[in-house]
Amino acid sequence: SQKIEQNSEALNIQEGKTATLTCNYTNYSPAYLQWYRQDPGRGPVFLLLIRENEKEKRKERLKVTFDTTLKQSLFHITASQPADSATYLCALVPDTGGFKTIFGAGTRLFVKA
Amino acid sequence: SQTIHQWPATLVQPVGSPLSLECTVEGTSNPNLYWYRQAAGRGLQLLFYSVGIGQISSEVPQNLSASRPQDRQFILSSKKLLLSDSGFYLCAWSPGPPTGELFFGEGSRLTVL
């Protein structure tokens, strides 16, 4: 069956450290993979997308990798801050040229001061 | 710039009552529009999407329906709510394939009693 899996356990890290979140997918061959941030009671906010032919993408303190062999994306936040505490969702469009975006359940990140 | 508005923000309805959630997008034309539902502590479930006026695709058979009477308006409805319809409903727009990134509204919290 098709699955997008993110660590359901919350990630707790100390301020200033690098947070690394994992997204694994099964039985998909996405051309693009996306990452979103969601704060409690709010809608998700699009952060980054990475193409299948890009190994790595950066935006300020954020870095995303995409390994189509491992079927995995890693999302890194460097020099993390308490304001980075949120749930982070990965998502993909299953079919090239398709209209549906499918989400993982998300990983909750807590950054302690 | 593009904006998306969704209302009402909070709704408490009795079982068997009707529902209407509305979403409008500004600053773009012919967007792809989406309704997602998020149960407490769960991921985003795609309910409906639309690629044009009057064109609705349903992803999950359920007690809900969607309509797109105008290019930038998307409505989620039910004739008779069930307890299981409770949840956080999110409208989103996308510029479309191939990348498919979504831009969400602030959400509507529905409680069915």
Side-chain angles (χ1 to χ4, degrees):
Chain A
S1 63
Q2 294 176 312
K3 290 186 291 187
I4 303 173
E5 295 179 301
Q6 295 183 256
N7 196 336
S8 59
E9 291 185 14
L11 178 63
N12 292 280
I13 65 167
Q14 201 66 34
E15 182 178 11
K17 300 295 185 183
T18 296
T20 299
L21 287 70
T22 304
C23 175
N24 295 295
Y25 57 91
T26 306
N27 291 327
Y28 288 113
S29 297
Y32 303 87
L33 197 138
Q34 309 160 8
W35 283 89
Y36 296 77
R37 168 184 173 141
Q38 186 175 23
D39 292 289
R42 308 289 296 273
V45 175
F46 172 73
L47 296 175
L48 281 171
L49 76 82
I50 186 166
R51 293 167 170 75
E52 61 179 343
N53 61 355
E54 296 178 312
K55 297 298 182 184
E56 183 180 296
K57 192 83 169 279
R58 291 175 184 263
K59 179 182 177 183
E60 298 174 350
R61 294 184 296 111
L62 307 181
K63 184 178 84 171
V64 172
T65 63
F66 191 8
D67 190 324
T68 56
T69 300
L70 292 178
K71 295 186 179 297
Q72 181 182 80
S73 177
L74 299 179
F75 178 82
H76 305 272
I77 305 175
T78 58
S80 59
Q81 304 166 0
D84 295 326
S85 298
T87 297
Y88 291 87
L89 307 168
C90 75
L92 55 84
V93 177
D95 305 309
T96 301
F99 297 95
K100 295 187 289 187
T101 301
I102 308 300
F103 285 81
T107 298
R108 189 84 167 92
L109 171 67
F110 293 96
V111 181
K112 299 177 183 178
Chain B
S1 64
Q2 300 87 5
T3 57
I4 179 167
H5 303 281
Q6 182 181 344
W7 69 93
T10 305
L11 204 57
V12 180
Q13 293 286 105
V15 170
S17 65
L19 171 73
S20 181
L21 301 179
E22 190 164 341
C23 173
T24 60
V25 180
E26 298 176 357
T28 186
S29 58
N30 197 30
N32 294 322
L33 297 173
Y34 300 79
W35 281 110
Y36 284 84
R37 177 169 61 200
Q38 188 173 36
R42 305 284 295 276
L44 290 157
Q45 179 187 32
L46 177 61
L47 302 176
F48 301 94
Y49 68 93
S50 171
V51 301
I53 296 174
Q55 299 179 61
I56 309 294
S57 295
S58 174
E59 287 299 299
V60 182
Q62 61 213 320
N63 188 40
L64 301 169
S65 62
S67 61
R68 183 170 179 174
Q70 300 180 43
D71 180 46
R72 290 171 290 172
Q73 184 185 27
F74 205 24
I75 298 171
L76 184 69
S77 303
S78 175
K79 292 182 179 178
K80 290 185 178 182
L81 285 168
L82 306 172
L83 287 174
S84 58
D85 292 323
S86 294
F88 190 47
Y89 288 83
L90 290 155
C91 181
W93 77 272
S94 172
T99 54
E101 65 269 37
L102 296 170
F103 301 93
F104 286 87
E106 287 300 312
S108 299
R109 174 79 56 193
L110 171 65
T111 303
V112 182
L113 301 175

